[in-house]
Each structure stands twice: as structure tokens, then as C-alpha cells.
Amino acid sequence: MSNRMSLRTLLAVAAITLCLSHAPRVRADDWPQWQGPNRDSVSQETGLLKEWPKDGPPLAWKVGTLGGGYNAPSVAAGRIYGMSHRDADEVAWALNEADGKELWVAKLGPAYTQEGMPQGKEGPGCTPTVDGERMYVLGLGGTLSCVQVADGKVLWQKSLTRDFGGQIPTWSYRESPLVDGDKVIVTPGGDDATIVALNKLSGETVWKCKVPDAPAAAGPGAGGPPGRGQGRPGGPRGPGGGRGGSGRSGAAYASAIAINFDGQRQYVQLTAKALVGVAAADGKFLWRYDKPANGAGINCTTPLYHDGMVFASSAYGAGGGLVKLGMLPGGGMVAKEVYFTKKLQNHHGGIVVFDECLYGAHGGNEGGNIVCLDFKTGNVLWDEREQRRAPKGSIALADGRLYYRVEHGTMLLIEPSKKEYLERGRFEQPDRTRAPAWAHPVIANGKLYIRDQDVLLCYDIKAK
């Protein structure tokens, strides 16, 4: 009996070892999901160039056959992953990290035709989330796909509209799924399922969270426990000049983050109406803060968590707000406002925190520029509005430098400083399309990646 048990144990160990030996291994300097390893637009990589040559860092390789799309790539275990529209199909693809050669392309379904608004119609905005042997992508029409990274085989799919009653936002679904433990988190924005958690292996529903509406009796934009706060009806006009927003959808365009506070795991998301926190274990609604959500529901920026506080921002006349999380005597949670400022209205370029400073673009459709704010007070430390050296764009941080991509395509290297704007390099990409340069810069394994629709450019930024 004991011998048979020992044999079974050895066989089980051997099987596990074999599986692990064939599983992709994510490296420390990979960028396996939206906004990097920790979803904060910060890379832990070191040994990168502190200044760029006059014409920028050397181009390692480029490809020009990706198809349309605004999503930034993810980089994991020697491969690069992304999404596109190719002809009549919505697809996911994998490239070899060393040279950009295409390894596979997977058809996910018909390309979604965005009605009404022209912005972003070229293709998906979701950055794939790579998790071991699988990755997760969300199409414009709300199809969530689990794809095998080895060959692109589609393992399962769910529809945020058909399966959860979600309403497609005006500019389609742009969220990048969050994988946390054995769950994948997405935001259908449905009446009974604002946010949902699915089993990442099977796609089965783990829980659904309905974010309640804020009662009209509360003060506008109040932070606090469930039931406090008030959304603002109406609001500014959208990018196309007509009424913007998410219509009936509770989903906006931001991607959720996972945080730990006071021993509890929770997911934080900027929906069409508010910044909210829900319990990771069962989807229980915990808290809300309305001010960072603009009245049109065009909320795109991923929330930022730092030192027990959450910062969120949007454009269209709204701004940025910081809340400090806390526990109530009865066991509930409160999100108490620290400050709210209209000096950082971030459209969709993202925000990073470094040395207790917030860096990001301030401005919406009218344009804008990079600004630096004190994280704890919201005070403006410097503003590039007058000099216009760094117009509105997207941002990431690596090895003590800000990588900033202007919407018209210029790539900047900026040294973080509390006192002033310090530029350490800039260049113009080749093969620039006429589409806005909305895909965020990605830094992984000594390389800088820039997506521009069909084109993906790979630059060598490792210090020699």
C-alpha cells in the first residue's frame, strides 16, 4: 500500500514538474498587462539610458502589418501580444520579442462596427492580460476571450452584453481585464452587474456586483460609505461634438486595479458614474467617490493607489480627487476626500506617482500639457502650459525617467523633478499614421515599444 502511494506521489510530482517546465515564464522586467506588472505604469527595470541621442535611441526592429487598433502591447516570456481589426475580423496576435516576427494570429469574432462616434473605430483598445499559459482580451463589442498563449487557441468566451446585460459604452468597451488569483475581473456596466468576477479557467461567474445609484439627497461628489455621493446628470459634450458619455451603460473606459487595505483585498474601478471599491472575495460594494467622474461618463484613466489613498481623474470639466480609505465603527468602509483639484483633468493618458509627486497630462479635447502635482496636497508644482514643450500625451515610468508620448506622436524622455520640467531626449517615430498616438508607451527588457495602428516600433533603450 505504501509503495503504491509513493509511486502515485512520484508520478504526480513528475506530472507537475513537466507542466511547469513547459509553462511560459514571465521575467522580472516583462510588461505582461495594461500599465505594467502592477498596473501603475511603473517598470522596475534598471540600467536604461538616462539621456537619448539627438535622434533618439536606436530602432531595433519594426513591423507594419498589425491591423487597426489603439491598444498598447503586453510583453511576457519572450513574446509580444496585442489586438487588432484585420479586414472583417477582430483578432489577437503574438510576436517574437527578439525580432517582431508573427508567431500566430487568432480570430476572435467579427470586427465590431462602432456606431455614431468616429474616434477609436479603427480597432480595439484592450491590452492583453497575460497569466501563465493563458491571456485575456476584451473586444470592442464586449466579447471577453480566454486565449492559449502557445498557439492562440480560444479556450472560452463570454459576452458582457448577452451574459451580463451590459450596455456598450458610446466609444465601445476599452477595458483591459484584471486577473487576480483565480479570477478575472471586467466591467459590463449592466443594471445588475456593474462589475463581475469570473473563474479564469472556465469563465463561470464567481460573483456579480451591482453598484447602487447615489441618492440625490447627498451632496455632490461626496466621498464616503455606500449610499453617499451624487452623480452629476448631463455634462460636457463628447469628442465627436455631440452628447458624449456612456448612455445607459454603467461602464466607462477605465481598467480596474486590485489593492489590499486593512487586511481586505478589493477591486477599485472608475465607472461611468463614480470611483468605487468592491470586495474581492464576494463582490460586496464597499465605497464610492463621485467627483472624479465627469457628467458625461467619459472616464478613461485607471485609478492609482498609494499609501492607503486612491487618486482618480477625468477630463470634460471634472478633475482629480484623492480619498483616504478608512474603516467605520460598524465594520463598513469610508473614502474620505483629502482634496479635489481641477488642475489635473486627465483624459486618457494615465498618471504616475514618483517621489510623492503626480505626473500626467492635464486637458481634454481642447489639448493640454503635462503637469506635476504634490500627491498629498494637490498643489501644482509646475505646469508646461506656457512653454508647450510637452503637450497632452500618455505616460510611463522606468529607471528614474518618465516616458511621455505626445498625442501627435513625439516621444519624450523626462527626468522627474519637483521644481521644473527637465527634458532628457525626444524623437519622432517613422511611418507615422494620421491617427492620434493614443497607445501608451511600453518598457520591457531594455526595449521601448510604440504602437501606431498597423505599426509597432521597438527601440533599444538599454545603457551600454
Side-chain angles (χ1 to χ4, degrees):
M1 185 71 173
S2 61
N3 288 338
R4 286 198 297 271
M5 290 297 293
S6 297
L7 180 59
R8 290 174 184 172
T9 301
L10 288 172
L11 289 174
V13 171
I16 293 172
T17 303
L18 182 62
C19 290
L20 290 175
S21 67
H22 286 81
R25 296 181 180 179
V26 176
R27 295 173 293 196
D29 294 331
D30 280 347
W31 194 275
Q33 62 175 330
W34 166 246
Q35 291 196 165
N38 299 312
R39 288 209 161 198
D40 56 4
S41 295
V42 177
S43 168
Q44 301 303 317
E45 191 168 0
T46 59
L48 305 180
L49 291 169
K50 297 298 185 181
E51 294 190 12
W52 287 341
K54 180 181 178 181
D55 296 326
L59 179 66
W61 53 260
K62 68 178 180 180
V63 295
T65 56
L66 298 181
Y70 287 93
N71 59 292
S74 54
V75 183
R79 294 184 174 188
I80 302 167
Y81 302 95
M83 295 185 73
S84 296
H85 278 178
R86 293 188 185 180
D87 299 323
D89 298 314
E90 190 165 66
V91 303
W93 41 259
L95 311 178
N96 182 28
E97 185 180 354
D99 56 14
K101 180 181 178 181
E102 186 169 278
L103 301 175
W104 53 257
V105 58
K107 293 182 179 180
L108 305 175
Y112 177 74
T113 302
Q114 182 172 289
E115 299 179 358
M117 298 300 182
Q119 299 89 354
K121 66 181 180 180
E122 292 89 342
C126 163
T127 292
T129 302
V130 182
D131 180 61
E133 297 180 345
R134 302 178 178 216
M135 76 175 189
Y136 302 83
V137 292
L138 182 64
L140 291 182
T143 298
L144 175 66
S145 303
C146 174
V147 179
Q148 194 164 270
V149 299
D151 54 11
K153 179 182 178 181
V154 177
L155 301 177
W156 58 258
Q157 290 184 317
K158 291 288 182 178
S159 169
L160 301 196
T161 57
R162 293 191 302 272
D163 295 323
F164 301 105
Q167 299 288 328
I168 300 175
T170 302
W171 285 274
S172 311
Y173 285 105
R174 302 279 168 174
E175 179 182 13
S176 298
L178 169 67
V179 173
D180 184 50
D182 59 0
K183 299 187 291 291
V184 55
I185 315 300
V186 285
T187 313
D191 292 339
D192 297 318
T194 311
I195 302 170
V196 299
L198 310 179
N199 182 293
K200 71 178 183 181
L201 298 181
S202 65
E204 295 179 357
T205 302
V206 177
W207 51 252
K208 296 187 291 184
C209 174
K210 177 181 179 179
V211 174
D213 290 332
R228 296 187 62 192
Q230 176 184 352
R232 293 178 297 280
R237 295 186 179 274
R243 173 64 64 186
S246 299
R248 294 177 56 198
S249 179
Y253 312 96
S255 298
I257 61 173
I259 71 171
N260 291 312
F261 179 78
D262 198 33
Q264 184 180 33
R265 188 76 164 171
Q266 58 180 278
Y267 304 129
V268 178
Q269 174 65 305
L270 183 58
T271 71
K273 296 181 179 180
L275 177 70
V276 301
V278 304
D282 56 10
K284 178 183 177 181
F285 173 64
L286 299 175
W287 57 269
R288 70 181 293 144
Y289 176 53
D290 291 21
K291 281 187 181 179
N294 60 65
I298 312 172
N299 308 311
C300 312
T301 298
T302 299
L304 190 153
Y305 179 68
H306 177 66
D307 198 21
M309 294 178 281
V310 182
F311 183 87
S313 176
S314 71
Y316 300 96
L322 182 72
V323 289
K324 184 175 180 61
L325 303 182
M327 302 302 297
L328 294 172
M333 287 198 68
V334 62
K336 184 178 180 181
E337 181 178 277
V338 179
Y339 64 80
F340 182 81
T341 176
K342 289 184 174 292
K343 299 298 184 180
L344 181 47
Q345 298 182 35
N346 191 260
H347 195 185
H348 44 62
I351 302 166
V352 298
V353 60
F354 178 76
D355 193 21
E356 300 304 316
C357 294
L358 287 171
Y359 296 90
H362 167 61
N365 289 337
E366 72 281 3
N369 51 273
I370 192 172
V371 297
C372 173
L373 273 61
D374 184 288
F375 173 76
K376 292 183 178 179
T377 67
N379 294 333
V380 177
L381 301 179
W382 52 260
D383 186 332
E384 270 294 294
R385 178 175 49 187
E386 297 298 330
Q387 289 79 9
R388 298 183 182 274
R389 290 172 291 186
K392 179 186 167 194
S394 56
I395 196 167
L397 174 73
D399 197 18
R401 291 291 184 268
L402 298 170
Y403 290 75
Y404 190 81
R405 190 185 188 198
V406 178
E407 282 193 354
H408 60 64
T410 303
M411 191 70 217
L412 304 176
L413 186 69
I414 302 168
E415 180 179 350
S417 168
K418 295 182 178 182
K419 297 181 178 180
E420 59 185 328
Y421 173 83
L422 299 174
E423 187 175 303
R424 301 306 183 197
R426 70 167 53 209
F427 68 90
E428 304 292 338
Q429 71 162 84
D431 301 319
R432 179 77 180 94
T433 71
R434 294 184 177 182
W438 287 339
H440 290 209
V442 167
I443 303 101
N445 304 305
K447 300 294 193 298
L448 167 66
Y449 295 94
I450 298 175
R451 167 85 184 269
D452 185 5
Q453 300 296 325
D454 263 336
V455 177
L456 180 64
L457 301 119
C458 173
Y459 290 89
D460 186 358
I461 56 172
K462 198 75 174 177
K464 304 303 180 185

